[in-house]
Amino acid sequence: SLSLIEYLRREPKSSSFPPGSNPTSLMRMEDFARMIMVISAVGEDPTNCGGVNYLVMLKSYYDGEQFGDPSSAEDDALAILALRASGDISPESEAMIAGAVDYIKSMQNTDGGWSYISGESDPKVTSLIIQALIAAGDNADSDTIVEALDYLKRAQDERGGYSDAISTSYAIQALIVAGEDPSGWSWNGSETPLDYLLSLQQEDGSFNNTIDMSFFPPRTTTFSILALCGKPY
């Protein structure tokens, strides 16, 4: 049987597109960013995996200021994380990262967080952006990061988490990269994000999305594993 990475290598060759094309299931900038992160994490070359140069495809989404959707800062965060994961320190990549950082900071809300597209700040998006900004070189004590952490503190619910397993996992990762201790992060002096996440684990080892709802457990569990292992993106 094939390993997961062998599947990723073979998928482009199995598609109906010309050799060197991306898998047909990759349709968005975020897809290419996540592929680069996975390929890099296992020590493969994101410029040549299965005959595909995923780095070139990711960079094609940069418009001179930011990546992907101009109304979203989340895709810029993913692009930064992917470029850092790839190990590409070319002047081109560094300029793209600097541009994306500036763009992300311009979209920070007055409460210190970031939203998906517009409206209220979202803990999941904010946590991903914290990880990206620190990966790009921001210090944890910068005004931008401090304000973002203050927002996360206020957004924490009475159970210690952030509404669901994935958002809480992202928050734990953000706290770790910012030098905070998730086991001591509690607005009421009791429940922490770790407590909430662990409360979602089921007898079979999977994680519910919320206390009362299971939603595609394999996907939810992958996010929880990263957080509980203390592994930010």
Side-chain angles (χ1 to χ4, degrees):
S1 60
L2 295 177
S3 69
L4 293 174
I5 194 63
E6 285 171 334
Y7 165 77
L8 294 179
R9 290 194 206 103
R10 288 166 59 101
E11 178 65 12
K13 298 176 183 178
S14 301
S15 75
S16 59
F17 282 70
S21 299
N22 58 284
T24 55
S25 59
L26 302 187
M27 304 297 294
R28 306 176 303 159
M29 191 226 79
E30 293 93 327
D31 298 330
F32 296 107
R34 293 185 187 281
M35 278 292 293
I36 290 170
M37 292 166 71
V38 170
I39 293 166
S40 301
V42 297
E44 296 275 334
D45 181 4
T47 67
N48 184 17
C49 183
V52 179
N53 188 332
Y54 291 97
L55 201 58
V56 164
M57 292 184 177
L58 175 67
K59 290 180 178 181
S60 71
Y61 285 88
Y62 188 72
D63 66 6
E65 293 185 358
Q66 58 85 50
F67 288 89
D69 185 350
S71 64
S72 170
E74 184 178 19
D75 52 6
D76 294 281
L78 282 169
I80 290 171
L81 290 167
L83 288 173
R84 280 288 180 252
S86 75
D88 181 8
I89 57 173
S90 66
E92 177 189 45
S93 287
E94 292 301 311
M96 289 180 175
I97 289 173
V101 166
D102 289 342
Y103 198 80
I104 286 172
K105 290 182 176 181
S106 73
M107 297 184 71
Q108 188 172 24
N109 294 329
T110 56
D111 64 3
W114 284 266
S115 56
Y116 275 108
I117 299 297
S118 61
E120 295 184 1
S121 294
D122 179 83
K124 176 176 173 287
V125 175
T126 300
S127 297
L128 185 69
I129 287 174
I130 289 172
Q131 295 181 69
L133 291 179
I134 291 178
D138 260 28
N139 293 320
D141 59 357
S142 69
D143 290 344
T144 302
I145 302 299
V146 169
E147 290 171 9
L149 291 173
D150 287 344
Y151 161 74
L152 286 183
K153 178 69 79 173
R154 295 192 302 272
Q156 190 178 22
D157 62 33
E158 67 276 6
R159 292 180 178 270
Y162 294 88
S163 76
D164 60 65
I166 296 177
S167 295
T168 302
S169 296
Y170 272 51
I172 291 170
Q173 292 172 296
L175 295 177
I176 291 170
V177 298
E180 299 287 335
D181 181 3
S183 66
W185 186 270
S186 174
W187 70 272
N188 60 9
S190 178
E191 302 297 323
T192 71
L194 290 171
D195 292 326
Y196 175 73
L197 191 58
L198 289 171
S199 74
L200 301 178
Q201 190 167 29
Q202 305 303 296
E203 290 185 0
D204 66 357
S206 68
F207 285 78
N208 271 359
N209 190 48
T210 67
I211 293 294
D212 302 316
M213 184 180 72
S214 176
F215 182 73
F216 196 53
R219 180 174 184 270
T220 303
T221 301
T222 61
F223 290 97
S224 303
I225 289 172
L226 279 173
L228 292 175
C229 287
K231 298 295 184 182
Y233 285 119

